[in-house]
C-alpha cells in the first residue's frame, strides 16, 4: 500500500525536527520512528527504517558540487591526467614512427632500440588508458542506479569489469545497449589486450641496398683483343707458345690442371654493385660424346685397336710390355687449326676442332690380359671445337663481395672484314692485320663489332691445336706431341682422366676472362650501393591503438562533463561508500556465511535505485523481480 501524500509531509516534518534536535552525524538517544514492521510499502524509502537511527554525515548532507572547472578538476584530476598521458604517449609514438620511417637503422640515435622505445611508450599509453577507463566505469556504476531501477547484482558486475577482460566481457553480455557507455568502456578494456601485439607488427627492418653517390663499381668488358700489337710476317711463324700472351697461356693451363671453374671478376668499393646489359668478346667451347658412333677395329685385340670417328679421323690404342710391366694407351687426340678457314668473309670465327679417345674404363675382368683387351675395345670418344663468340649478360651483380650473374646470351661471330695497321719495327715492310667480327644473326646491322689481331688469332689456334694433338700411355711411355717442333706441354695424363666436355667448357671460360681483362678492355662504371637495415613502418597496425585511445578519451570527457551536470556524487570505485548504504529488507548476514555464490544469486533478485530526490545518498529497494 502506498503512503498518502499527507503522511509523507508529516514524515518529512518529523525528520526535520529530529535533525534540529540532534545535529547531523550524531546518533539520537532514542528513536521516535515506527518500527519497520509497521511498513508494508514496496517503495518505503520515505520512512527511516529502525535499523538506521542516524544518517551518516557524508551522505545526508547535500553535495557541494561546484559548477566550475576547478571543482571538476579536483574530482577527476587523476582520470584526466591519465587520459591525457595516454593520448600524448600515443601521439609521441606516431611522431617517432613518421620521422623514422624509411631511415637507416644505423641512424637511430638512442641506445634503446626502436622496438623497445615504441613498446615502452605504447605500454605507458595503454596503462594510463586503463586507469582512466576504470574510473569511468566506476562512476557509471552509480549512474546505472541513479533515477532508474536495476539489479543489485550490477554493483558486482560493474566492479568486476574494471578488473580485467573477463569481467568486462560479462558486463557487455549482461548490459550491452542498456548501459552503452559502460559497454564501450568494457570494449576498451578487452581490446587493450591487442595493443602490444599490434605495436610489435608496426615495425619491419628490411635490408636494402641504396646507391652511394661517391662510390663506384667497375666491370671490364672488351670488343678488341690485341694484347701485344703483334704483326703478321712470314718470318714469324715459329712455335705458337712463343707468341701466345702469358695471360692466355696461363688461362689455358689453369683450365686443364684445375677443376675450379672460372669466375667473373669485378671491382666494387662497397661490395654491392649492379651492372646491366654487358657484352664482351669471348671464347666458346663445345664437346660431344661420340662413343656410340665410333667404329672399332682390333687387328690384335690384346695389343692394338683402331678407332674411326664420325669426323673421318682415326686414332689407335696400344698395349705393350716392358720390363715385365704392361703399358697401355690412355689418351689419343688429333686437332687442326681453323684459323685459315675463318679468314673468308661470312665464315665463322672458329679456332680449332679436335677428336680425342680416352682409354680409362674401370677394371672389369679377372685377369690383367682380359682387362687389357676390354680397355682397348671400350674407348670413350669425343668430338670438340672452340671458337670466338660474344657473350651478353643481362645482369651482373656483386653482393657482399660475391659476383652473381645471369646466364649469358651466347652468339656466334662471323668474319665481316679486315683492316691493317702498318708498323715498321724492322727494315722490311710489316703490318698488323685486324679481323672484324659481328654476331651471326646481326650482319649488316648496327650491332657491336668485335676486333681480333689476326696474329693473336693464329697463335691461339695453333697453341690449342698443339695441346689437343697428343697421345699418352701409362707411365709416360709413348707420350708425344704430333705437331713437329712443338713446345706446348703434353696434358694427356690429365685429359685422359676427366670429362672432356667439362674441361673444354672450363677452358673457354678461363680464356674469356683473359680476353675480357686484357689491355684493350674498357670499364663499365656504375654507382656502388651500400646494404643497410632500414626502418619500415606499417601504419595500418596503429589503427586499433589509436581507436581505443580516442574512444577512452571521449568516454572520460563525456562522463566528467556529465558528472558536473547532475547531482550524483562522484564516487567512482570507492568501496567505503557501500558501508554507508543500507537497503530495507536486505539482510545478508546469513548469506555471507554461505559464501559469494549465495550472495550473488540473491542480489540478482533484488531491484534497487538511487532516487534523484535524495541526490544519490540512499539506495531504495523497489521490489523483487
Amino acid at each position: 500500500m502506498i503512503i498518502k501524500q499527507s503522511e509523507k509531509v508529516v514524515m518529512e516534518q518529523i525528520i526535520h525536527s529530529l535533525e534540529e534536535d540532534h545535529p547531523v552525524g550524531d546518533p539520537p538517544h532514542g528513536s521516535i520512528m515506527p518500527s519497520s514492521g509497521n511498513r508494508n510499502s514496496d517503495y518505503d524509502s520515505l520512512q527511516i527504517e529502525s535499523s538506521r537511527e542516524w544518517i551518516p554525515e557524508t551522505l545526508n548532507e547535500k553535495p557541494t558540487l561546484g559548477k566550475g572547472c576547478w571543482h571538476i578538476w579536483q574530482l577527476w584530476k587523476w582520470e584526466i591526467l591519465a587520459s591525457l598521458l595516454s593520448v600524448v604517449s600515443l601521439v609521441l609514438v606516431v611522431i617517432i614512427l613518421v620521422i623514422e620511417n624509411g631511415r637507416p637503422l644505423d641512424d637511430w640515435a638512442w641506445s634503446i632500440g626502436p622496438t623497445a622505445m615504441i613498446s615502452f611508450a605504447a605500454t605507458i599509453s595503454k596503462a594510463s588508458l586503463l586507469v582512466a577507463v576504470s574510473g569511468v566505469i566506476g562512476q557509471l556504476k552509480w549512474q546505472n542506479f541513479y533515477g532508474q531501477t536495476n539489479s543489485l547484482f550490477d554493483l558486482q558486475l560493474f566492479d568486476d569489469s574494471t578488473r580485467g577482460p573477463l569481467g568486462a566481457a560479462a558486463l557487455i553480455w549482461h548490459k550491452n545497449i542498456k548501459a552503452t557507455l559502460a559497454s564501450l568502456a568494457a570494449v576498451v578494456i578487452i581490446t587493450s589486450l591487442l595493443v602490444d601485439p599490434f605495436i610489435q607488427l608496426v615495425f619491419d627492418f628490411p635490408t636494402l641496398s641504396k646507391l652511394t653517390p661517391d662510390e663506384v663499381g667497375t666491370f671490364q668488358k672488351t670488343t678488341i683483343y690485341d694484347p701485344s700489337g703483334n704483326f703478321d710476317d712470314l718470318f714469324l711463324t715459329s712455335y705458337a707458345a712463343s707468341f701466345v700472351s702469358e695471360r692466355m697461356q696461363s688461362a689455358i693451363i689453369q683450365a686443364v690442371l684445375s677443376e675450379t671453374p672460372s669466375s667473373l671478376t669485378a671491382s666494387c668499393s662497397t661490395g654491392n654493385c649492379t651492372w646491366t646489359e654487358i657484352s664482351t668478346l669471348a671464347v666458346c667451347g663445345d664437346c660431344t660424346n661420340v662413343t656410340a658412333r665410333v667404329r672399332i677395329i682390333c687387328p690384335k685385340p690384346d695389343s692394338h685397336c683402331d678407332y674411326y670417328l664420325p669426323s673421318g679421323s682415326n686414332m689407335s690404342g696400344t698395349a705393350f710390355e716392358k720390363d715385365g710391366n704392361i703399358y697401355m694407351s690412355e689418351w689419343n687426340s688429333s686437332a687442326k687449326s681453323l684459323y685459315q678457314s675463318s679468314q673468308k668473309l661470312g665464315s665463322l670465327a672458329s679456332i680449332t676442332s679436335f677428336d680425342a679417345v680416352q682409354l680409362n674404363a674401370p677394371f672389369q675382368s679377372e685377369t690383367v690380359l682380359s682387362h687389357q683387351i676390354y680397355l682397348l675395345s671400350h674407348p670413350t670418344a669425343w668430338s670438340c671445337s672452340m671458337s670466338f663468340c660474344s657473350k651478353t649478360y643481362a645482369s651482373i651483380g656483386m653482393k657482399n663481395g660475391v659476383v652473381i650473374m645471369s646466364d649469358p646470351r651466347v652468339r656466334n661471330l662471323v668474319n665481316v672484314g679486315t683492316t691493317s695497321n702498318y708498323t715498321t719495327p724492322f727494315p722490311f715492310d710489316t703490318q698488323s692485320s685486324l679481323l672484324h667480327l659481328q654476331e651471326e644473326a646481326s650482319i649488316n646491322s648496327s650491332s657491336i663489332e668485335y676486333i681480333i689481331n689476326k696474329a693473336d688469332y693464329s697463335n691461339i689456334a695453333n697453341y690449342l691445336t698443339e695441346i689437343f694433338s697428343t697421345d699418352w700411355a701409362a707411365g709416360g711411355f709413348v707420350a708425344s706431341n704430333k705437331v713437329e717442333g712443338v713446345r706446348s706441354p703434353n696434358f694427356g695424363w690429365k685429359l685422359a682422366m676427366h670429362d672432356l666436355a667439362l674441361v673444354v667448357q672450363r677452358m673457354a671460360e678461363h680464356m674469356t676472362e683473359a680476353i675480357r681483362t686484357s689491355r684493350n678492355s674498357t670499364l663499365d662504371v656504375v654507382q656502388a650501393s651500400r646494404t643497410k637495415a632500414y626502418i619500415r613502418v606499417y601504419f595500418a597496425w596503429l589503427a586499433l591503438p589509436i581507436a581505443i585511445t580516442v574512444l577512452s578519451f571521449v568516454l572520460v570527457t563525456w562522463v566528467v562533463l556529465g558528472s558536473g551536470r547532475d547531482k550524483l556524487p562522484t564516487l567512482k570505485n570507492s568501496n567505503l561508500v557501500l558501508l554507508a548504504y543500507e537497503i530495507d529488507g536486505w539482510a545478508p548476514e546469513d548469506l555471507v556465511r554461505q559464501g559469494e555464490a549465495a550472495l550473488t544469486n540473491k542480489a540478482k533478485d533484488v531491484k534497487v535505485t538511487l532516487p534523484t530526490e535524495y541526490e544519490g545518498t540512499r539506495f531504495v529497494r523497489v521490489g523483487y523481480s
Side-chain angles (χ1 to χ4, degrees):
M1 182 179 64
I2 300 177
I3 300 176
K4 296 180 181 180
Q5 183 64 29
S6 58
E7 293 177 334
K8 176 180 178 182
V9 174
V10 172
M11 293 302 299
E12 288 179 346
Q13 292 175 352
I14 294 174
I15 293 172
H16 180 70
S17 174
L18 179 63
E19 290 176 348
E20 288 180 348
D21 294 338
H22 301 279
V24 174
D26 295 331
H29 297 290
S31 175
I32 62 173
M33 299 301 300
S35 66
S36 60
N38 295 327
R39 296 190 305 259
N40 56 5
S41 172
D42 286 337
Y43 189 76
D44 53 3
S45 63
L46 298 179
Q47 300 180 17
I48 299 178
E49 51 276 1
S50 59
S51 60
R52 182 184 296 172
E53 297 182 350
W54 62 278
I55 303 171
E57 180 180 359
T58 57
L59 294 182
N60 191 49
E61 65 179 3
K62 293 186 178 181
T64 57
L65 296 177
K67 296 182 180 179
C69 296
W70 176 249
H71 190 72
I72 293 177
W73 166 256
Q74 289 294 321
L75 295 174
W76 289 94
K77 59 183 177 182
W78 296 118
E79 286 76 14
I80 294 173
L81 288 175
S83 184
L84 290 175
L85 179 59
S86 176
V87 173
V88 170
S89 299
L90 189 61
V91 170
L92 180 63
V93 168
V94 174
I95 291 174
I96 293 175
L97 293 178
V98 170
I99 294 175
E100 297 297 330
N101 186 29
R103 297 184 64 184
L105 186 58
D106 293 342
D107 294 348
W108 180 259
W110 299 86
S111 58
I112 302 176
T115 303
M117 175 71 76
I118 298 303
S119 296
F120 181 72
T123 300
I124 292 177
S125 176
K126 184 181 77 170
S128 304
L129 174 152
L130 293 176
V131 169
V133 170
S134 177
V136 165
I137 294 178
Q139 185 63 19
L140 291 175
K141 172 175 60 179
W142 305 110
Q143 287 188 0
N144 181 61
F145 296 99
Y146 190 61
Q148 53 188 336
T149 301
N150 281 293
S151 170
L152 186 61
F153 173 69
D154 285 2
L155 286 173
Q156 185 67 41
L157 197 62
F158 275 76
D159 190 60
D160 288 345
S161 68
T162 64
R163 304 179 189 277
L166 189 59
L171 176 63
I172 296 173
W173 176 260
H174 289 283
K175 303 301 293 183
N176 45 71
I177 62 173
K178 291 181 288 187
T180 305
L181 292 180
S183 295
L184 289 176
V187 168
V188 170
I189 291 177
I190 294 172
T191 54
S192 67
L193 293 174
L194 301 175
V195 170
D196 291 335
F198 272 55
I199 289 295
Q200 295 296 325
L201 293 171
V202 165
F203 274 118
D204 188 21
F205 302 99
T207 300
L208 303 175
S209 293
K210 292 192 176 181
L211 298 178
T212 52
D214 300 329
E215 298 180 282
V216 298
T218 58
F219 187 85
Q220 289 177 278
K221 61 181 181 180
T222 187
T223 59
I224 302 173
Y225 183 63
D226 185 16
S228 54
N230 286 336
F231 51 86
D232 292 329
D233 190 86
L234 294 176
F235 299 99
L236 299 176
T237 56
S238 185
Y239 311 118
S242 303
F243 294 97
V244 176
S245 70
E246 293 179 355
R247 290 193 63 192
M248 183 59 73
Q249 290 189 58
S250 175
I252 294 172
I253 293 172
Q254 185 180 3
V256 174
L257 299 181
S258 172
E259 297 182 15
T260 303
S262 175
S263 58
L264 295 178
T265 57
S267 174
C268 183
S269 57
T270 65
N272 294 280
C273 294
T274 301
W275 297 267
T276 57
E277 204 64 27
I278 298 293
S279 296
T280 187
L281 181 63
V283 174
C284 295
D286 178 70
C287 263
T288 304
N289 190 317
V290 295
T291 301
R293 299 163 59 192
V294 174
R295 186 163 59 91
I296 303 172
I297 299 177
C298 298
K300 296 181 179 181
D302 60 342
S303 60
H304 184 88
C305 286
D306 293 316
Y307 315 109
Y308 298 87
L309 278 69
S311 64
S313 64
N314 67 288
M315 283 166 281
S316 60
T318 59
F320 63 93
E321 181 181 353
K322 183 178 178 62
D323 298 330
N325 296 316
I326 301 296
Y327 297 93
M328 294 188 58
S329 297
E330 295 181 351
W331 166 265
N332 201 336
S333 63
S334 177
K336 62 179 179 179
S337 170
L338 300 178
Y339 167 74
Q340 291 299 331
S341 64
S342 67
Q343 301 308 298
K344 298 178 182 180
L345 285 175
S347 59
L348 291 175
S350 301
I351 301 174
T352 185
S353 65
F354 61 93
D355 294 322
V357 172
Q358 298 169 316
L359 300 171
N360 57 7
F363 193 85
Q364 301 257 348
S365 306
E366 297 179 359
T367 65
V368 173
L369 179 60
S370 58
H371 180 61
Q372 175 181 319
I373 296 173
Y374 179 84
L375 279 177
L376 291 174
S377 60
H378 289 81
T380 301
W382 302 89
S383 182
C384 307
S385 64
M386 301 186 75
S387 62
F388 288 106
C389 62
S390 68
K391 289 184 177 181
T392 301
Y393 298 90
S395 176
I396 297 175
M398 179 181 286
K399 186 174 183 180
N400 298 327
V402 179
V403 176
I404 304 171
M405 60 182 178
S406 61
D407 292 332
R409 175 178 60 83
V410 179
R411 293 288 185 269
N412 292 325
L413 298 179
V414 295
N415 185 343
V416 294
T418 302
T419 58
S420 298
N421 292 331
Y422 288 88
T423 59
T424 56
F426 297 103
F428 46 81
D429 185 28
T430 60
Q431 67 180 15
S432 176
S433 298
L434 305 175
L435 186 66
H436 293 250
L437 307 170
Q438 278 189 335
E439 292 182 357
E440 185 178 17
S442 306
I443 299 177
N444 301 324
S445 70
S446 58
S447 64
I448 300 174
E449 189 170 83
Y450 300 92
I451 300 173
I452 303 176
N453 186 303
K454 293 178 69 174
D456 292 301
Y457 193 144
S458 175
N459 292 331
I460 290 174
N462 290 336
Y463 188 63
L464 291 175
T465 299
E466 292 174 4
I467 287 179
F468 290 110
S469 295
T470 58
D471 56 17
W472 183 271
F477 291 100
V478 196
S480 65
N481 293 64
K482 298 177 181 178
V483 180
E484 185 178 355
V486 66
R487 293 183 179 178
S488 59
N490 187 326
F491 291 117
W493 60 276
K494 187 72 172 178
L495 297 173
M497 306 306 296
H498 294 279
D499 187 327
L500 198 57
L502 295 179
V503 174
V504 170
Q505 180 183 351
R506 191 163 60 239
M507 185 177 293
E509 292 172 351
H510 281 271
M511 293 175 68
T512 296
E513 277 298 284
I515 293 173
R516 186 181 67 82
T517 58
S518 66
R519 72 183 185 98
N520 307 110
S521 65
T522 58
L523 296 178
D524 193 276
V525 182
V526 297
Q527 274 191 316
S529 60
R530 286 198 176 276
T531 300
K532 293 182 178 180
Y534 287 82
I535 299 174
R536 179 184 292 168
V537 177
Y538 298 99
F539 288 99
W541 291 108
L542 290 175
L544 178 68
I546 291 175
I548 65 174
T549 301
V550 171
L551 178 58
S552 67
F553 184 80
V554 170
L555 287 172
V556 171
T557 304
W558 186 277
V559 173
V560 168
L561 295 178
S563 67
R565 290 193 300 266
D566 55 42
K567 296 181 180 181
L568 178 69
T570 302
L571 304 175
K572 293 183 283 188
N573 289 309
S574 173
N575 290 322
L576 293 176
V577 72
L578 295 175
L579 301 177
Y581 284 131
E582 184 175 336
I583 302 171
D584 184 54
W586 169 253
E589 289 84 356
D590 294 335
L591 295 175
V592 169
R593 296 187 184 94
Q594 297 177 32
E596 179 185 3
L599 274 171
T600 299
N601 291 331
K602 188 66 175 178
K604 292 179 180 179
D605 296 331
V606 178
K607 299 295 183 179
V608 296
T609 183
L610 289 172
T612 56
E613 58 266 31
Y614 290 106
E615 299 180 0
T617 59
R618 294 181 182 179
F619 260 124
V620 175
R621 177 182 170 190
V622 175
Y624 292 93
S625 61

